[in-house]
Amino acid sequence: MRDTEDTGPDSPLARGFLHMTTKFKVGDHVRWNSEAGYVSGTIAKVHTRNTNYKGYTHHASVDDPQYEIQSDKSDHVAMHKGTALHKIA
């Protein structure tokens, strides 16, 4: 997961350290930043192979899955990689 403080010139990423991506599972409650602000939802499915979704191919693998998330406030379903998600209680 990336926070804005992790992207500066003195960040671990800039110094050559790799971020470990958190693995999420079905039922986990997460949030992500969208163009409309932060959105929260529940992981509905974990994709570990390339998946066509809303007209686009979302690249996924066992090591870097894509997560299908049902929004808490609407019927919207989103798909994101783990680096875009933050687990919430």
Side-chain angles (χ1 to χ4, degrees):
M1 293 184 284
R2 256 189 204 162
D3 293 325
T4 55
E5 66 192 45
D6 289 341
T7 58
D10 295 323
S11 71
L13 187 60
R15 293 191 315 261
F17 296 99
L18 296 176
H19 268 257
M20 292 297 294
T21 302
T22 302
K23 298 288 184 178
F24 300 98
K25 62 184 183 303
V26 171
D28 282 351
H29 198 218
V30 296
R31 73 179 172 114
W32 65 98
N33 194 5
S34 76
E35 54 276 348
Y38 282 99
V39 180
S40 61
T42 303
I43 303 284
K45 189 170 183 181
V46 179
H47 295 270
T48 56
R49 295 189 311 193
N50 291 350
T51 303
N52 290 319
Y53 182 73
K54 294 186 178 181
Y56 297 95
T57 299
H58 291 259
H59 298 281
S61 67
V62 171
D63 293 329
D64 194 18
Q66 289 267 0
Y67 298 94
E68 197 169 317
I69 310 140
Q70 174 66 52
S71 172
D72 287 340
K73 294 186 177 182
S74 72
D75 61 353
H76 180 75
V77 176
M79 191 172 298
H80 293 290
K81 290 206 174 215
T83 54
L85 304 174
H86 302 272
K87 190 169 182 178
I88 56 178

